[in-house]
């Protein structure tokens, strides 16, 4: 068979494969409709497990890699779940007849909340002098008109969020108000001012980025600042999704974030700084690879490509940030000492302790 003919057959098979995927997506939408009508949850973990096991078994019979089949089906399941979640949001229509204002709605996470609220039927208005809201109603200055919205989201950079919260308190808006800041220490005064003004105020921290299309397995932290009714209202906005919602306090939030974000960012910044200052040119290191190095490099590359200003704020503005950085320094110093002293037993104890912690964490996650 000629090369051109083989390529033509491959192209035809690619088209057939895409057509089957499109048909699967259409069936997924029908499944979502039936689930909504019968009250079934969007996600069925037992069903997903059966699909993946069947795919691996079928792949083996066909002489294909079970891992390839597993990865392909996981991707399709994720796509189907995203379709079902979006359909569920639209069907619930919690925002029908209600209005929302997103201050900072042209930023990355601001746009995410604009789209999210829009999908629920809210009439969304954007206040942001930094960009265009497209076809949506936009005001350059959020204070230029009334603030009678049912929901007001403050999705501005952390450095100006506190000031906006304090200004909102003077307006006493009647609707639900919440910020989405990564840290809460710098926002205490603004949140307290809203609470004292009698505003239904909460504080959110979405633990995902603006490219997130499926909330399954993701977390949103709700910080209770003294208005449990506002926490409930904010949780209800996500009731139709598969996001995991956690409620905490101001102090606990920033203490935990010092490790969840501060420590993980610091490790990656230290990693790529050590590489950059190692004297080994990038082309030389690019020719070498290991599973661990490549995995760490992938995460470090994401960190290096993000906003230095935001990452500095997460390190510098958290009153508990020094605790996690000190823990990192102490851990590296201890590791250095174990290696320098040829202490294999101590090194093994360090590894085993980490293994136990990570196993306990995994078990807690499953629970």
């Amino acid at each position: 068979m000629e090369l051109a003919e083989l390529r033509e057959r491959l192209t035809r098979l690619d088209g057939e494969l895409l057509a089957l995927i499109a048909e699967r997506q259409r069936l997924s939408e029908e499944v979502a409709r039936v689930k909504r009508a019968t009250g079934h949850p969007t996600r069925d973990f037992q069903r997903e497990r059966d699909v993946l096991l069947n795919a691996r078994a079928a792949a083996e019979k066909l002489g294909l890699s079970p891992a390839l089949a597993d990865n392909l089906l996981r991707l399709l399941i994720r796509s189907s779940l995203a379709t079902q979640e979006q359909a569920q949001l639209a069907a619930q229509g919690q925002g029908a007849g209600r209005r929302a204002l997103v201050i900072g709605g042209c930023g990355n996470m601001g746009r995410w909340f604009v789209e999210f609220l829009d999908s629920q039927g809210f009439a969304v208005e954007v206040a942001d002098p930094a960009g265009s809201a497209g076809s949506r109603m936009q005001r350059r200055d959020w204070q230029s008109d009334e603030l009678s919205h049912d929901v007001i989201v403050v999705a501005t950079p952390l450095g100006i969020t506190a000031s906006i919260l304090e200004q909102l308190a003077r307006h006493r808006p009647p609707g639900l108000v919440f910020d989405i800041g990564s840290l809460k220490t710098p926002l205490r005064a603004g949140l307290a001012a809203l609470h004292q003004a009698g505003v239904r105020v909460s504080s959110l921290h979405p633990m995902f980025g603006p490219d997130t299309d499926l909330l399954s397995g993701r977390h949103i932290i709700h910080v209770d600042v003294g208005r449990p009714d506002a926490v409930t209202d904010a949780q209800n906005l996500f009731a139709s999704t598969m996001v995991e919602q956690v409620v905490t306090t101001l102090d606990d939030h920033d203490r935990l974030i010092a490790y969840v974000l501060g420590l993980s960012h610091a490790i990656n910044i230290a990693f790529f700084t050590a590489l950059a200052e190692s004297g080994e040119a990038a082309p030389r290191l690019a020719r070498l690879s290991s599973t661990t190095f490549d995995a760490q490099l992938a995460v470090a590359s994401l960190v290096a490509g993000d906003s230095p200003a935001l990452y500095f704020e997460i390190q510098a503005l958290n009153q508990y940030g020094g605790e996690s950085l000190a823990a990192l320094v102490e851990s590296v110093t201890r590791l250095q000492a174990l290696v320098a002293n040829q202490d294999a037993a101590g090194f093994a104890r360090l590894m085993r302790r980490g293994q136990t912690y990570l196993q306990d964490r995994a078990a807690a996650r499953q629970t």
Side-chain angles (χ1 to χ4, degrees), residues 11-295:
T11 301
R12 186 166 62 252
L13 287 171
D14 288 343
E16 292 173 2
L17 180 60
L18 290 173
L20 288 171
I21 291 173
E23 177 61 20
R24 193 183 195 282
Q25 288 295 91
R26 285 190 288 271
L27 283 173
S28 178
E29 293 174 9
E30 181 64 15
V31 167
R33 185 192 65 77
V34 173
K35 284 181 177 179
R36 290 195 304 273
T38 57
H40 284 75
T42 302
R43 191 159 196 180
D44 184 341
F45 289 98
Q46 180 61 48
R47 169 63 181 161
E48 289 177 29
R49 178 178 179 276
D50 292 342
V51 168
L52 293 172
L53 288 175
N54 290 337
R56 294 181 70 91
E60 283 190 298
K61 290 181 180 179
L62 292 169
L64 295 173
S65 164
L68 172 63
D70 188 281
N71 290 334
L72 177 60
L73 264 295
R74 285 181 187 275
L75 183 62
L76 291 175
I77 288 171
R78 180 178 177 82
S79 178
S80 296
L81 286 171
T83 299
Q84 292 180 37
E85 188 172 71
Q86 291 159 7
Q88 179 89 342
L89 281 171
Q92 292 286 339
Q94 291 193 47
R98 304 170 71 196
R99 299 169 61 221
L101 171 66
V102 182
I103 302 173
C106 294
N108 289 335
M109 284 305 296
R111 284 196 298 269
W112 190 93
F113 270 90
V114 167
E115 296 296 333
F116 177 75
L117 293 168
D118 181 75
S119 71
Q120 297 195 58
F122 281 89
V124 184
E125 186 176 347
V126 173
D128 196 328
S132 170
S135 60
R136 293 182 176 86
M137 186 183 299
Q138 182 173 9
R139 58 169 84 169
R140 292 292 173 181
D141 179 6
W142 62 267
Q143 300 184 78
S144 64
D145 204 349
E146 50 78 33
L147 294 170
S148 60
H149 305 78
D150 298 278
V151 176
I152 296 178
V153 182
V154 183
T156 51
L158 199 60
I160 63 172
T161 297
S163 173
I164 290 175
L165 294 176
E166 292 183 37
Q167 293 173 62
L168 275 169
R170 291 193 284 272
H171 288 272
R172 298 175 184 267
L176 171 68
V177 176
F178 61 83
D179 73 278
I180 59 168
S182 300
L183 289 177
K184 306 307 177 185
T185 298
L187 309 182
R188 285 178 178 272
L191 293 169
L194 283 163
H195 181 255
Q196 291 165 9
V199 177
R200 283 190 297 130
V201 58
S202 185
S203 187
L204 271 64
H205 185 179
M207 300 295 288
F208 50 83
D211 58 345
T212 300
D213 59 352
L214 175 64
L215 291 177
S216 176
R218 307 291 187 175
H219 289 79
I220 287 180
I221 301 175
H222 296 265
V223 179
D224 186 350
V225 295
R227 288 294 302 257
D229 57 330
V231 173
T232 300
D233 289 344
Q235 287 178 306
N236 287 339
L237 291 174
F238 300 90
S240 301
T241 75
M242 293 175 283
V243 75
E244 296 182 42
Q245 305 196 64
V246 179
V247 180
T248 188
T249 64
L250 275 168
D251 283 334
D252 282 348
H253 173 273
D254 279 13
R255 186 179 291 110
L256 294 171
I257 290 304
Y259 287 90
V260 174
L261 292 184
L263 179 62
S264 58
H265 291 173
I267 287 171
N268 283 284
I269 292 169
F271 175 74
F272 63 64
T273 300
L275 287 178
E277 297 180 355
S278 67
E280 291 293 342
R284 282 172 55 86
L285 283 174
R287 297 191 187 98
L288 302 176
S289 176
S290 78
T291 304
T292 305
F293 181 80
D294 289 348

Side-chain angles (χ1 to χ4, degrees), residues 318-338:
N318 189 344
Q319 69 182 95
Y320 301 102
E323 179 182 320
S324 61
L325 286 178
L328 175 60
V329 171
E330 196 278 331
S331 297
V332 173
T333 301
R334 193 190 319 172
L335 175 62
Q336 185 180 42
L338 290 171

